[in-house]
Amino acid sequence: SQTIHQWPATLVQPVGSPLSLECTVEGTSNPNLYWYRQAAGRGLQLLFYSVGIGQISSEVPQNLSASRPQDRQFILSSKKLLLSDSGFYLCAWSRGVTNTEAFFGQGTRLTVV
Amino acid sequence: GESVGLHLPTLSVQEGDNSIINCAYSNSASDYFIWYKQESGKGPQFIIDIRSNMDKRQGQRVTVLLNKTVKHLSLQIAATQPGDSAVYFCAENIRNSWGKLQFGAGTQVVVTP
């Protein structure tokens, strides 16, 4: 069976510090990978998606970047965090075809102070 | 821009009653829809999906109805239980968008005894 791991679960970082959130998927190959952000009481906003190693598409301009160094590894990064980067970050994967559901990790609660 | 939106931000339901959660979408190119359940502090979990060539699909205690004429989607939960308390999101997949999902704002369902 497929599993998705996302860590850490919670993170408190000072403004201006770097960020690295990691997500790995097991039990599947060549998945589509996604990073979403969720503000409190809001829906999910797609930040980045990847259809293959080294292939990253950004959905919204922001202070964050993403990388996919391996087939089942997706990393969300920032060189200098802003207060507005606080939120709940979710990694997800789907099979590399259309009309299929996405499976989510448990999320990382990031608080920038 | 076109988006998925929800009519009711909060729904209070008595235990044992049926719940109906509504969702409106505006993109006529959407051909696949999913309902997710998100418990506090966790990632969304898949509940049920429906393709645009269907108007109804049933699962265990849940039914999704799709009305393409008015671009409306609903999730019905039979005999609502305390464990059904969560935020429910509808999501749409736009045709030829490689599986990217667009989410609505969500509906908070509160089950009262």
Side-chain angles (χ1 to χ4, degrees):
Chain A
S1 63
Q2 300 86 11
T3 56
I4 179 169
H5 303 280
Q6 186 181 343
W7 67 93
T10 59
L11 190 60
V12 180
Q13 291 284 101
V15 169
S17 65
L19 172 74
S20 181
L21 302 181
E22 188 163 345
C23 173
T24 60
V25 181
E26 297 177 358
T28 189
S29 59
N30 197 31
N32 287 344
L33 296 172
Y34 313 83
W35 278 110
Y36 285 86
R37 177 168 57 201
Q38 185 176 29
R42 298 294 205 136
L44 285 77
Q45 179 186 36
L46 180 62
L47 302 177
F48 300 96
Y49 69 90
S50 172
V51 298
I53 296 174
Q55 300 179 61
I56 309 294
S57 294
S58 175
E59 286 293 296
V60 293
Q62 60 201 303
N63 183 43
L64 302 168
S65 62
S67 61
R68 184 170 178 174
Q70 300 180 46
D71 182 44
R72 289 168 290 176
Q73 184 185 29
F74 206 24
I75 298 171
L76 183 69
S77 304
S78 174
K79 292 182 179 178
K80 290 185 177 181
L81 283 168
L82 306 172
L83 287 174
S84 57
D85 291 324
S86 293
F88 191 48
Y89 289 84
L90 288 154
C91 180
W93 76 272
S94 69
R95 295 177 183 84
V97 295
T98 59
N99 290 349
T100 183
E101 69 269 30
F103 301 90
F104 287 83
Q106 289 301 296
T108 296
R109 175 74 60 192
L110 172 66
T111 304
V112 182
V113 296
Chain B
E2 295 180 302
S3 65
V4 174
L6 294 174
H7 294 305
L8 298 174
T10 303
L11 178 66
S12 183
V13 182
Q14 194 160 15
E15 183 177 356
D17 287 352
N18 296 336
S19 304
I20 299 176
I21 306 166
N22 296 303
C23 181
Y25 67 96
S26 56
N27 195 324
S28 57
S30 296
D31 60 356
Y32 176 65
F33 304 88
I34 308 172
W35 281 101
Y36 283 92
K37 173 185 179 183
Q38 186 178 27
E39 297 176 339
S40 180
K42 297 184 178 180
Q45 289 185 301
F46 171 88
I47 301 174
I48 192 168
D49 60 1
I50 188 167
R51 302 191 189 284
S52 60
N53 60 352
M54 304 170 67
D55 53 20
K56 180 179 180 179
R57 191 165 189 220
Q58 290 184 290
Q60 187 178 13
R61 283 202 306 119
V62 295
T63 300
V64 56
L65 300 177
L66 176 62
N67 186 329
K68 294 181 288 293
T69 302
V70 296
K71 295 188 179 66
H72 185 267
L73 190 70
S74 69
L75 177 70
Q76 301 177 3
I77 305 174
T80 310
Q81 302 170 0
D84 295 326
S85 293
V87 177
Y88 290 80
F89 293 96
C90 63
E92 63 179 324
N93 172 228
I94 300 169
R95 192 178 301 122
N96 299 325
S97 69
W98 49 262
K100 179 174 64 175
L101 295 175
Q102 184 168 327
F103 284 81
T107 295
Q108 175 77 56
V109 173
V110 178
V111 181
T112 57

